[in-house]
């Protein structure tokens, strides 16, 4: 596991360019951003230097260092400081602080199969107030070639801020259909457990959503529950699984659910790709305040016929 995590540290070396979508704390679209990063290995050291430029509804530029300890990474400033857990060779989960903007950040970055694309979700706060949500999709730049840029939704924040789907015509996370795939699983100490085949079926139930879940590593029973939604948030009525999440442009979510029969809580963070075909998921399970495990991976979408 440690060697795999080390490989994840080195596979990010190079130049990356991304198109980020930025939403405010209520999930309203406030604009696109261009995110450029140059990751360089420091000779003879277990750390990298990252030079970056983020230009969008807010902007900053500068550099910072990341020191690798295989199971975790230290963000050493100057523009970004904090700590990230290395969950696999393709996934980090970070809590950090951008001094140049005054934002604290809860962040995950997932490398897609093939190693040349990444997806991320950043929750930016001041204190406990959610200010921005940044949904990122990145491509590795090859020397002498231009990276493929992700598809952008045409429009302006003036028009799209009042559209919960941010111009896509649908809340991608609420489309009737099935998300499925194999999720990796770690225990509370981040040691690997057997992966699971995970399925999430979404359907309409009158004006509400109906969700069926199967393949959860820490709740081995299939679960079904309803969701009310105003297209910016979704929440359950009373039941055996209860909770809520916030949406960003219908493309990303973050929220907490209680599985009452197991006395467990799961923090769900999910991001759908620009084309709507896959989503990156990171589910962290807790008993009270103690983490008992993590599930993560890529799910494919098949629409309801």
């Amino acid at each position: 596991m440690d060697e795999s995590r080390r490989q994840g540290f080195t596979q990010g070396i190079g130049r990356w360019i991304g198109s980020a979508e930025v939403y405010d704390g209520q999930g309203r679209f406030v604009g696109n951003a261009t995110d450029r990063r140059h990751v360089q290995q420091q000779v003879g050291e277990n750390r990298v230097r990252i030079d970056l430029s983020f230009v969008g509804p807010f902007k900053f530029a500068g550099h910072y260092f990341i020191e690798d300890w295989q199971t975790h990474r230290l963000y050493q400033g100057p523009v970004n400081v904090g700590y990230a857990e290395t969950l696999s060779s393709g996934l980090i989960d970070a809590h950090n602080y951008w001094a140049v903007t005054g934002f604290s950040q809860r962040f995950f970055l997932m490398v897609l199969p093939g190693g040349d694309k990444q997806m991320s979700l950043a929750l930016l706060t001041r204190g406990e107030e959610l200010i921005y949500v940044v949904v990122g999709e990145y491509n590795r730049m090859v020397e002498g070639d231009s990276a493929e840029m992700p598809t952008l939704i045409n429009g302006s924040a003036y028009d799209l801020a009042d559209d919960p789907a941010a111009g896509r015509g649908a809340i991608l996370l609420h489309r009737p259909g099935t998300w499925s795939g194999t999720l990796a699983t770690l225990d509370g100490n981040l040691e690997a457990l057997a992966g699971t085949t995970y399925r999430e079926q979404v359907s309409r139930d009158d004006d509400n959503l109906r969700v069926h879940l199967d393949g959860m590593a820490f709740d081995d029973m299939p679960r079904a529950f309803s969701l009310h939604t105003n297209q910016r948030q979704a929440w359950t009525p009373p039941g055996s699984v209860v909770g809520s999440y916030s949406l960003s442009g219908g493309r990303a979510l973050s929220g907490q659910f209680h599985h009452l029969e197991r006395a467990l809580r799961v923090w769900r963070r999910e991001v759908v790709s620009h084309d709507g075909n896959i989503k990156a998921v990171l589910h962290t399970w807790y008993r009270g305040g103690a983490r008992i495990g993590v599930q993560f991976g890529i799910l494919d979408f098949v629409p309801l016929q």
Side-chain angles (χ1 to χ4, degrees), residues 185-190 218 283-286 290-295:
T185 306
L186 307 177
D187 67 14
N189 296 317
L190 303 185
F218 303 97
H283 297 170
T284 307
W285 290 79
Y286 299 90
R291 181 179 62 194
I292 66 164
V294 183
Q295 274 190 294

Side-chain angles (χ1 to χ4, degrees), residues 37-49:
R37 298 169 187 254
H38 184 199
V39 184
Q40 305 170 74
Q41 181 80 47
Q42 299 295 287
V43 177
E45 301 181 37
N46 64 330
R47 68 175 188 167
V48 296
R49 170 175 169 146

